[in-house]
Every structure is written in C-alpha cells, then in structure tokens.
Amino acid sequence: MIVPFGHVLLLAALLFLMGLSCTIARRNLVMILIGVEIMLNASGLALVASSLRWMSMDGQALTALILGVAASEVTVGLALVMAVRRASGSLDADRQTALKEDDR
Amino acid sequence: MSDWFYLLPQAILCAGGLAALGLGAVLLRPAPGLQLGGALLFLAAAGAIVLALPAAGPVLDDMLAFDGIVRFYQLLILGSAGLSLLFASRYASLRGLAGDELYALVLFATLGMLLLAGAANWVIFVLGLELFTLCLYVLIALDRGRRTSLEAALKYFVPGAAAAGCLIFGVALIYAATGSLDLASSLASTAAGDVASFGPGLAGLALILLGVGFKLALAPFHLWAPDVYQGAPAPVAAFLATGSKVAVYAALLRLVAALPADAWQALAPVFWLLSAATLLAGSLPALTQTRVKRLLAYSSVAQMGYLLLALLAYPAAGPAPVMFYAAAYVLMDLGAFGSLGLLSPVSGDLDALEGFAGLGRTRPWPAAVLAVSLLSLAGLPLTMGFVGKFVVFVAVVRAGYPVLAGIGILGAVVAAGAYLRVLGALYFGRPVHAGQGQPPGPAAYVALGLVGALIVLLGIVPGPLLGLLR
Amino acid sequence: MSVYGVLFYALGGLMLAATTLAVTSRSLVHAVVYLVNAFFATGLLFYLLGAPLLAAFEIIIYAGAIMVLFLFIVMLTRQDKPLAGGVSLMRWLLPGLTSLVSLAAGTALVFSGGATGVPLAPAMASPRDLGRALFSRWWLGVEIVSFLLLVALVGALYLGRAPREGAAAGKSPGDAP
C-alpha cells in the first residue's frame, strides 16, 4: 500500500487551488500562465492516481493527451503575451485597458 | 454502415484546413476567391455528409455520439462557419488580414466544435473544446497590428485558460470518483452515489459547469464578453458569438440529457439562478451602452439566458424550443455582427452610436439586415426572434417556471429599448461620414441575403421547421 | 507506514513548498526555477504511482520544454528584475478565502471515509501498456492533439511575426517579409 487514495486527491486539490489563486491574484501575465500550468499539472496528478485506483489505463492516457494540451496552450499564450507586450509595452494585466466600459 | 463514416465530416474539415495552409505555402498569394470558395466547398461537403448520416448510438469505440440533436447542432455550426467566412472574406482582404491562417483556423475551429457537439466521452469533450478555443484566441488577434484586437484576445485567453484548467480538473475528479471517462455512464454513477463516497464527483461536476459557464459567458462569468466582442474584428466576433456558443451549448445539452432525473431535480435550482442572473446581467447594462459592439455583446449574454431557459424546460418540453431558439440566435447574431463589419470603414470597426447615424439611407442593404437582426433580437413579431422567444416562454411556463418567464419578458422589454436607439440612429440620424466603408462584395451580399431572408421567413412561417424539430 | 508512503509524503511536501514559493515569488526567474522543482517532484510521484513513461514525459515536457519556454520569454522581455509592487494582500484575499473553504470541504470529504479511503496498492504500467491504451483505445484523442499542436504552431507563428507597416493598404501579410 502506498497511501489512501484520498490523500493523493487532496494533494492534487491543493495544487489546483494554488494554481487557480495564482491566475486570479497575480497581475503579471507570465505568472498567470504559470498558474494555468500548475492547474493542468494538478489534473495530471489526480488522473494518474485515479488510474492506479481503478486499475485502468484511461487516466494515464488522458494525462498524456493533456501534456499536449498544456504545451499548445502555453505556446499560443506566450506568443500572445509577446505580441501584447510589443503593442502596449507592458506585461501587467491591469494595464490592458484600451477596452473598457465608457466613463461617465 | 461502418462506424468510420461518422468521422467523415471531421476528416473533411481536417483536409480542408490542411489544404488552406498548403495553398498558402504553394501559391504565395492565393486569390481570396479561391480560398473562400475552397473553404466553403469543404464546409458544404461536411454538411452534406452530416445531413445524410443516419442517427446512431455511440460510435467508434464510444468516442462520438450522433443523434438528431447532434446532427442539428452540427449543421448550425457548419452554417455559422460558412456565413462567418462569407462575411469575413472581403472584410479581411480589405484590411490585409486574409492570409491562409484565417481560412485554416476557421476550418480547424469548426472541426473542434463538431467534435465537442458530438462528444460521447470526456476526452473528446476536453480536446474538442481546446481545439476551437485555441483557434479562436488567434482569430480574435487576427488584426495583430491593432492593440484592441490583441487585448481582446488576451482578455479571452486569460479567463479561457483558467476555465480550461477548471474543466480538466473537473474531468479528473469525475474520473477519480467513478473510474469512467464515458460521459453518460460517469454522470449516472456520480449522481447515484451518496455524497461521502462521490463528493469528488460532485465537485468535478461543479468545476465542469463552471468551465462551461465561462465559455458560454453566463452570469456571473460573463464579464469578459463585452471587452472581447468590442475588440475582436466583427466577423470573428460573429463566429465567436455563434459557432462556439452553439457547440458548448450542444455539449451542455448532452450533459443535462445524461443526468438521471433525481440529479436533474437537484441541479435545476442552480440553472434557475444562472438563467435569471444571465438574463438580468445581459439586459440591464445594454440600456446604458453607447457602443454598439458592447451592446451586442451584452445582448448575446442575454440570449444565452434565453437558451438556459429553454434548457430548463428541456426535460419537460422536449428538444424543439432549445433547437429553434439556438437557430434563431445564430442567425440574429451573425446578421448583427456581420452587417456591422460590412458597414465599418477600413480604419476600424464602427462602434460608437453616432457612427451609425444615417447609414440606413447611405448603405441600405447592410443597414437593413442589421435592423432586421436587431428587431429579431428585441423579439418583435414577424421575426424569428419573436417566434423563438414565444416558443421558449410557453415551454418554460409549461415546465413550471412562471417567475423565470416573467424575468425573461422583463429583460426582453428592457433590452428592446436599447436596440431601438440603434435603429433610431440608423434611420433617423443625420449622416456624419459620407461614403465611409467599402462596398461589401458579392460574397457578403449572399450572406446578407441569406441571413435576412431566413430571419424574416422563419419568423412568418416557423411551422415547418418547428414540426421538423419535434 | 511503508517506504512508499514516506516517499509520497516527502515528495508531496516538496511539491507544495515549491509551488507555494513559485506562486508567491516576486521574481519571475525564481518562480520558474521553483516550478521546475515542483515538476521534478511530480515526475517522481508519477513513477511512484505506476506511470514510468508519464514520469519521463513530465520531466521532458513540463520541466524541460515548457519551463525553458517560460525562461526564454522572461529573458526576452527583460522581466528578470523583481516585480514592482509585487504581491498585494488584497488581491489574494478572495482567492485565498475561497481556496480555504473548498479545502476544508475537501478535507472533510477525504477523512469522512467512503470511496476515497481506498488504499492504493503499488502497481506499474509499462510504457507498452500506455502505448496500447493511447493508440488502440484513445487514438482519436491522439489525432485531435496532433491538430491542436498544429494550430498552436500556426497561431504562434502568426502572432509572433510583427505586422508589416501598411498591411492595411491591401497587401497580404501571409508571406514572409
């Protein structure tokens, strides 16, 4: 026996919440992307553990596919971040304010 | 019939996207007509096959489902992609944006939407959703020299990536609780267990609904929508507002259909609150908007509220209201955003209300389709929007949610005021810019004619389509 | 507690510590380096949970490719100085509180027994098993991911090229400058 299944899930949930908090609370665009990576990584952990719990390969297969999802998402995300920085000169999410409600 | 035929529409779209990319690589500057015609040909071929395939249970190792509802939504998605391209082609070539990327990414996005609409398990669900969102991130940033376009893409990317993370973790939790990645069977066993053993499953379902809510821009997750629609090029906004919403909505419909009755009883209050909040959050801010693209964004949020109403009535009233209203929504938003793009000058999309003054006289055809779409969004009689709202409200009252129908009618009345301001500017304002904007070109006239005619025709004689959907 | 258990808790503690440091770090370079540590620990945990091939992928793709990409962007944008203003407490308040509530609920669920109390028995899935599952059961997913990567490539190329001046004058930007 390794550990109870619930403990792995709890670890994954902790990591996921940290990643989510990071995307919500940080202003730097690169940090926001890092938060997303942490969330996807936590999903992978939960899937691999469940794969062991249910003795089926489905979870591991989905984890492998999610690696591809994470890689492609981060590629487009970073390219977008670079383009935004070129246009606005800032990596701060709060400074992207060309689009907003009209002041009145 | 072999299962493989059910993959044919998707395979055709793959081939189409690759062909568009290859064309761009071989001919350095392919004629826009060639690209547009080719893309439409692939979309039409996929549509013809979707139309011809007989309904079946899960096919291809339980990867895809294909029944009447899936067929209808897939046709809507293909139609939305085709019409968006018709609206986009001249818009894009006038602005120097009509590279092979535009056509390839629209085809790949359509592929992802078809997969999502027909997903029978969570893997295809997640991957289909990711595929079209990734294409949309780039499509929104299509006008990459313009800061607003990039910022809109960023504002779609950040919540979108967070929502994707939530959704994937939700899927992981559902798999942890049930040991199955099959959509129907995992949902059935999540709902069957007691809370202590299947707590992770319920948490997973909540996270998935959160992710879906973000993609559909349901209140309180709708705050990204106005900024993104305002900054995105108008034909891309049309595709974003129609194709992606309809695909996610089709998937949500599958989820609801797969839930056992007692789980649906428990979830119905959540959907009640969501739809009431979405209706109000979409209708009330529309009233004070002075920017037409933001107004349309809020209106599309409100339309999602009506679609949720129809979803609430789905178990009681059957699929006809959800399908009819989705079709009406696609046509109305395509017409509104598409004609807005055609009315816009090359220097930037029309947005401020004053810019629309007098266009009803100087640019009669695009302005007329915009007016018809707005009237339909407002739910005035003789339009498809009226019939759609009527069918939905009847179904909702029959399903036992009269209060919600009341909120819906209130929202429609409030929002109608906002649309009438735009109509007033179009037809009674004094023209400010003489001769702005370019002639739309034949492709866009086809799209304008189709959308306008269908909205009016199906508003006057909805019977045949409604009968077909029942 | 078995040696597996000790390893699990040690790696889990390492992951949590490294991720916390990464999330709250004021310097982007530090954040990325902490995260590489966290991903290494995840890779080892994957091995412990019976997924050796995924453990290798995790280290090659996450800790290797993706994190190097991040480092490149940090260097390219000259963001290697500490972030001005850093981390404001007010912004952490809402996510922190919601996380605490969900965590409390999760802990209660885990320790109330039921299905989550099932002990995990050590087992190992060989790379062959994973390959078989991927390419016989989930082949459609593999195909979709291949298109996902193609789209990412096209998108990154499109966004990465600076738009040419005068692109709005009707020239196609599709060809290389």
Side-chain angles (χ1 to χ4, degrees):
Chain A
M1 153 178 179
I2 304 176
V3 281
F5 180 45
H7 291 200
V8 193
L9 279 190
L10 203 58
L11 176 64
L14 261 172
L15 290 171
F16 172 78
L17 289 173
M18 275 187 200
L20 188 59
S21 309
C22 182
T23 51
I24 296 172
R26 297 298 296 250
R27 291 178 310 172
N28 187 282
L29 289 171
V30 177
M31 282 310 290
I32 290 175
L33 272 173
I34 283 181
V36 173
E37 288 306 302
I38 296 174
M39 286 160 84
L40 292 179
N41 191 48
S43 318
L45 181 58
L47 282 169
V48 171
S50 317
S51 211
L52 184 59
R53 154 82 173 80
W54 296 103
M55 282 294 166
S56 83
M57 289 306 291
D58 295 351
Q60 289 200 19
L62 183 52
T63 312
L65 298 177
I66 284 175
L67 279 174
V69 171
S72 45
E73 197 159 84
V74 85
T75 312
V76 172
L78 285 175
L80 194 57
V81 165
M82 288 298 287
V84 165
R85 187 188 137 89
R86 200 165 52 217
S88 74
S90 170
L91 278 181
D92 192 331
D94 287 354
R95 297 232 184 106
Q96 312 296 333
T97 51
L99 303 168
K100 58 180 190 328
E101 293 285 327
D102 290 329
D103 301 319
R104 69 177 76 76
Chain B
M1 191 169 198
S2 161
D3 272 7
W4 293 97
F5 284 103
Y6 289 92
L7 209 57
L8 210 51
Q10 284 87 343
I12 287 176
L13 290 178
C14 289
L18 291 175
L21 285 178
L23 201 64
V26 176
L27 311 170
L28 277 182
R29 203 165 289 175
L34 181 64
Q35 288 174 313
L36 176 67
L40 290 177
L41 204 66
F42 280 106
L43 286 172
I49 290 169
V50 168
L51 205 58
L53 283 174
V59 289
L60 289 166
D61 300 335
D62 299 337
M63 292 286 163
L64 298 173
F66 194 82
D67 54 21
I69 298 180
V70 173
R71 177 191 295 137
F72 179 77
Y73 279 105
Q74 290 191 336
L75 286 174
L76 268 187
I77 292 164
L78 289 165
S80 147
L83 286 169
S84 304
L85 274 181
L86 282 172
F87 278 124
S89 90
R90 184 149 168 83
Y91 176 98
S93 52
L94 280 174
R95 289 157 181 76
L97 308 172
D100 36 349
E101 292 92 353
L102 167 66
Y103 297 95
L105 287 176
V106 167
L107 288 175
F108 286 141
T110 314
L111 164 68
M113 290 167 189
L114 290 195
L115 286 167
L116 177 62
N121 67 54
W122 293 110
V123 176
I124 307 300
F125 185 96
V126 165
L127 294 178
L129 188 92
E130 273 304 307
L131 183 56
F132 82 72
T133 349
L134 218 57
C135 295
L136 284 174
Y137 296 147
V138 184
L139 283 173
I140 294 172
L142 194 69
D143 203 352
R144 60 194 165 172
R146 188 161 286 157
R147 191 176 159 187
T148 48
S149 185
L150 286 174
E151 187 180 321
L154 190 72
K155 285 183 169 171
Y156 187 53
F157 177 77
V158 169
C166 290
L167 203 122
I168 291 175
F169 194 70
V171 170
L173 283 182
I174 284 206
Y175 178 65
T178 63
S180 162
L181 283 172
D182 189 75
L183 215 138
S185 68
S186 71
L187 280 178
S189 48
T190 301
D194 57 310
V195 177
S197 354
F198 290 98
L202 290 182
L205 192 57
L207 280 174
I208 288 171
L209 286 181
L210 190 138
V212 167
F214 255 112
K215 294 284 172 206
L216 285 178
L218 307 179
F221 315 117
H222 67 291
L223 292 171
W224 57 266
D227 282 354
V228 172
Y229 286 38
Q230 186 191 351
V236 175
F239 189 45
L240 168 70
T242 55
S244 81
K245 297 292 169 69
V246 167
V248 178
Y249 187 72
L252 185 61
L253 204 60
R254 301 189 63 73
L255 292 192
V256 167
L259 280 175
D262 51 341
W264 172 246
Q265 286 301 323
L267 264 181
V270 177
F271 279 101
W272 197 103
L273 278 177
L274 273 179
S275 60
T278 308
L279 281 169
L280 293 177
S283 306
L284 297 181
L287 210 52
T288 57
Q289 289 303 315
T290 56
R291 295 181 170 278
V292 176
K293 270 173 125 183
R294 292 186 82 87
L295 167 68
L296 287 177
Y298 279 112
S299 112
S300 92
V301 171
Q303 303 304 316
M304 282 298 124
Y306 293 113
L307 278 176
L308 268 195
L309 284 189
L311 186 75
L312 261 176
Y314 172 57
V322 264
M323 287 154 82
F324 190 85
Y325 202 79
Y329 167 74
V330 165
L331 286 172
M332 296 186 293
D333 261 32
L334 272 176
F337 279 109
S339 50
L340 191 147
L342 297 180
L343 290 169
S344 299
V346 174
S347 54
D349 283 356
L350 275 183
D351 202 5
L353 195 55
E354 303 88 60
F356 288 81
L359 285 179
R361 266 163 286 162
T362 51
R363 308 285 309 280
W365 289 109
V369 172
L370 180 59
V372 167
S373 306
L374 288 173
L375 286 173
S376 178
L377 281 167
L380 264 69
L382 297 186
T383 61
M384 204 174 170
F386 171 76
V387 182
K389 283 198 177 65
F390 183 77
V391 174
V392 169
F393 288 147
V394 168
V396 168
V397 171
R398 268 202 201 133
Y401 303 101
V403 180
L404 216 45
I407 296 177
I409 292 171
L410 181 77
V413 171
V414 168
Y419 304 130
L420 290 181
R421 288 216 325 270
V422 183
L423 286 176
L426 272 179
Y427 286 101
F428 302 110
R430 182 193 300 260
V432 276
H433 313 288
Q436 65 172 351
Q438 312 285 328
Y445 273 120
V446 172
L448 280 177
L450 267 176
V451 170
L454 278 176
I455 291 177
V456 176
L457 200 69
L458 288 171
I460 298 173
V461 251
L465 179 61
L466 274 174
L468 205 66
L469 297 182
R470 288 210 175 86
Chain C
M1 199 189 297
S2 68
V3 61
Y4 290 120
V6 174
L7 269 175
F8 172 82
Y9 290 114
L11 287 172
L14 180 64
M15 279 171 77
L16 287 177
T19 310
T20 315
L21 284 171
V23 165
T24 54
S25 160
R26 291 185 60 169
S27 146
L28 286 178
V29 179
H30 288 182
V32 171
V33 174
Y34 287 132
L35 216 55
V36 170
N37 277 313
F39 287 155
F40 259 107
T42 317
L44 291 177
L45 216 50
F46 279 4
Y47 193 84
L48 192 66
L49 294 170
L53 190 63
L54 284 177
F57 281 172
E58 174 86 13
I59 288 169
I60 295 168
I61 297 177
Y62 266 111
I66 293 183
M67 285 297 116
V68 168
L69 202 57
F70 271 106
L71 269 186
F72 258 112
I73 297 299
V74 173
M75 301 295 177
L76 274 176
T77 54
R78 310 245 174 90
Q79 291 274 318
D80 40 358
K81 294 185 205 65
L83 302 174
V87 186
S88 92
L89 270 181
M90 276 314 287
R91 293 183 66 112
W92 284 96
L93 200 63
L94 184 68
L97 279 181
T98 14
S99 300
L100 275 183
V101 172
S102 4
L103 194 65
T107 319
L109 277 174
V110 165
F111 289 102
S112 67
T116 51
V118 178
L120 293 176
M124 201 53 99
S126 69
R128 180 187 305 179
D129 296 334
L130 181 59
R132 216 168 253 156
L134 266 180
F135 290 103
S136 60
R137 175 84 179 88
W138 298 106
W139 58 272
L140 187 57
V142 176
E143 296 299 325
I144 303 174
V145 166
S146 71
F147 274 94
L148 209 57
L149 290 169
L150 175 68
V151 165
L153 196 69
V154 171
L157 273 176
Y158 183 77
L159 293 174
R161 272 194 323 244
R164 271 194 328 210
E165 290 303 316
K171 294 278 193 300
S172 161
D175 44 2

